[in-house]
Amino acid sequence: EVVSELLGLSQLGDRLSAHLGVANVIVVAGNSDEEEWVKQELGRACMKEIQAIATANDVLAVMGGTTLAAVANMAERNETLASTIFVPARGGLGEKVEIQANTISAEFARRTGAAYRLLHVPDQLSEDAYHSLVLEPTVKDILEVIKSSAVVIHGIGDAQRMATRRHSKDLFIETLEREEAVAEAFGYYFDAAGKIIYKQRTIGLQLNELEGKYVISVAGGKSKANAIHAFMKHRPSDVLVTDEAAARELLQHK
Ligand code: G3H
């Protein structure tokens, strides 16, 4: 669409909001695939949204990834946020420690003055271990805190890229290809229609438990347009923070 090239950032956001059915879309300049500062701008814009929505004593659940790490890096001391609790939305997904949800929630807390709780769940859980772990009193306790969260902040990834980054088995990567997975978020994989193809076995917030929570999605870069589109098909968030390159690409989608 040639028209979109002429649109300013806030108009792009409005267009995209109508296009995706997402109530509020914030667009920052640039393409985070190509320039690191764009991710920082995504972080800054996302932090603004968090500050605007958070109220005293809220529980804020955060996911992992490099984008969420950039958001946490932009967090500043704030009176309201200092009364909140940050928790990881879900357990380990096979990421490096720097970009795990646990680490990121601790970083948000450190910078804002908030409290935090950790969820210790190994990345590779057998079915049996999973079922006994969720019955452990300390795990049950933190799961309740996570489920009581008012705000959820998460990233969206390209399916193949995420599976590779998390060292998934070849067989699994082939399954994703066969099922035409395009997006990953919260440890779930989705096809272009937004249908769940696979869910990684970890505990924490399930996708069907987001009802009544304020969901902020943050994802940018032209290469993530398909993934963002698929996730919003599954369930439009309350806010999408994205960049110009992803936004323009998304507007081409039918
Ligand atoms: O679930 C999505 C991924 O965590 C996104 O990761 O922000 O590093 O692209 P990223």
Side-chain angles (χ1 to χ4, degrees):
E1 206 193 4
V2 190
V3 190
S4 72
E5 280 171 31
L6 304 169
L7 294 175
L9 296 177
S10 79
Q11 287 166 303
L12 259 182
D14 291 347
R15 281 269 184 117
L16 205 49
S17 152
H19 193 74
L20 297 174
V22 174
N24 187 10
V25 179
I26 314 293
V27 182
V28 304
N31 179 2
S32 48
D33 285 337
E34 281 162 13
E35 279 157 314
E36 196 50 39
W37 61 265
V38 181
K39 214 171 246 184
Q40 291 170 22
E41 287 310 306
L42 283 174
R44 199 189 311 274
C46 184
M47 210 49 232
K48 250 190 179 170
E49 295 306 306
I50 297 170
Q51 276 163 8
I53 194 69
T55 58
N57 308 313
D58 273 350
V59 173
L60 305 158
V62 299
M63 281 301 303
T66 59
T67 316
L68 258 294
V71 181
N73 263 328
M74 289 295 164
E76 283 172 5
R77 206 177 167 85
N78 166 292
E79 203 181 319
T80 305
L81 288 179
S83 74
T84 65
I85 306 178
F86 281 89
V87 291
R90 299 199 70 187
L93 294 170
E95 299 273 29
K96 285 194 182 132
V97 71
E98 294 84 350
I99 58 168
Q100 284 174 14
N102 263 333
T103 314
I104 289 173
S105 64
E107 183 62 10
F108 268 112
R110 189 181 71 79
R111 290 191 185 251
T112 57
Y116 68 94
R117 300 278 306 270
L118 299 178
L119 175 60
H120 296 292
V121 192
D123 290 334
Q124 302 294 333
L125 266 184
S126 71
E127 186 117 25
D128 287 351
Y130 170 88
H131 287 296
S132 49
L133 196 67
V134 287
L135 298 175
E136 279 295 319
T138 53
V139 175
K140 268 173 102 171
D141 193 49
I142 165 89
L143 280 178
E144 257 169 53
V145 180
I146 293 171
K147 284 179 208 254
S148 76
S149 56
V151 183
V152 182
I153 308 118
H154 74 97
I156 302 170
D158 168 79
Q160 291 294 334
R161 217 188 302 155
M162 293 311 301
T164 312
R165 186 168 93 189
R166 291 171 183 167
H167 306 292
S168 302
K169 299 210 166 68
D170 290 348
L171 198 64
F172 176 61
I173 297 183
E174 280 164 30
T175 308
L176 289 181
E177 245 166 65
R178 197 174 53 244
E179 305 270 336
E180 300 181 339
V182 297
E184 186 283 336
F186 291 97
Y188 290 74
Y189 287 85
F190 309 84
D191 68 12
K195 195 180 102 202
I196 296 172
I197 284 173
Y198 184 82
K199 171 181 149 190
Q200 278 185 264
R201 193 187 291 130
T202 186
I203 57 178
L205 269 190
Q206 309 299 310
L207 272 180
N208 59 10
E209 293 171 329
L210 295 178
E211 215 49 56
K213 302 188 188 304
Y214 191 86
V215 180
I216 304 178
S217 307
V218 50
K222 190 175 177 184
S223 66
K224 281 194 185 180
N226 287 340
I228 296 169
H229 191 262
F231 182 76
M232 296 304 160
K233 279 242 159 192
H234 179 80
R235 185 190 186 284
S237 303
D238 295 288
V239 182
L240 167 66
V241 182
T242 191
D243 63 23
E244 200 179 344
R248 293 196 191 284
E249 188 72 12
L250 273 159
L251 283 175
Q252 318 270 354
H253 269 264
K254 287 292 161 281

